[in-house]
Amino acid sequence: MSEFHGDEQQGAPQAHATLIQETGMPGTGEALRERHTARAHSAADRTKAACRYAGVAADPAAVIAVPTEAAAKAANAIRLSADALVALAGGAPDPAADARHARNAAAASVLAARMARSHGADELSDAAYQAALKASQAAGTAAGREGMGRNEVLNAEAEAAEAAAVAAARAAGWV
């Protein structure tokens, strides 16, 4: 099952991902979509909670291309999360696209976490912001070229990072 690239042999995580892609196991397109959707919903919930904590009302009319005001930043973050959820709800399952939508929701939560952190700057807020950033990075890695939304190891890491972000946001009082 391993594949050679020059003198390098595929690593165990990559070989595992190749096996998953070839066999469709351990997750089918629907099962993978459910996992990516769960992460996206969690990130969207964190986005809304962080905006509420920061005392920023997200007026949908405030969405602009380059937000500078807190309300516009909040509106953009929530809109990005909502767009990701809508995209996940439509069409046939596509693990790569579904993982990108989950990544987008996680990235939006970083924007909201930055606002919440600036509103209540302390150790717990810093930790919640850092956890949001790590969740976004892990979601990006799971959606990236190596994972394409199918790599079990990368998906599990993204799920663990999302759970840690939720716990940190809760500890900071954002949720």
Side-chain angles (χ1 to χ4, degrees), residues 97-155:
D98 295 344
R100 286 190 304 271
H101 297 309
R103 174 206 59 207
N104 292 346
S109 74
V110 174
L111 300 172
R114 186 177 300 142
M115 283 187 295
R117 179 182 69 170
S118 67
H119 180 72
D122 60 18
E123 269 185 44
L124 293 175
S125 290
D126 287 341
Y129 171 75
Q130 290 301 321
L133 191 57
K134 287 178 184 174
S136 178
Q137 291 167 337
T141 300
R145 186 173 182 179
E146 181 182 335
M148 301 282 300
R150 290 186 176 273
N151 184 300
E152 179 63 26
V153 172
L154 297 178
N155 285 335

Side-chain angles (χ1 to χ4, degrees), residues 1-3 5 10-25 146-147 150-152:
M1 181 57 50
S2 65
E3 184 177 317
H5 297 286
Q10 227 175 350
Q14 182 59 35
H16 184 67
T18 301
L19 178 62
I20 291 168
Q21 289 172 350
E22 291 173 0
T23 65
M25 298 304 287
E146 181 182 335
R150 290 186 176 273
N151 184 300
E152 179 63 26

Side-chain angles (χ1 to χ4, degrees), residues 35-63:
R35 292 175 73 181
H36 297 311
T37 299
R39 280 201 333 271
H41 275 285
S42 178
D45 290 344
R46 284 189 301 109
T47 298
K48 292 174 194 168
C51 289
R52 276 192 308 270
Y53 176 83
V56 179
D59 177 7
V63 172

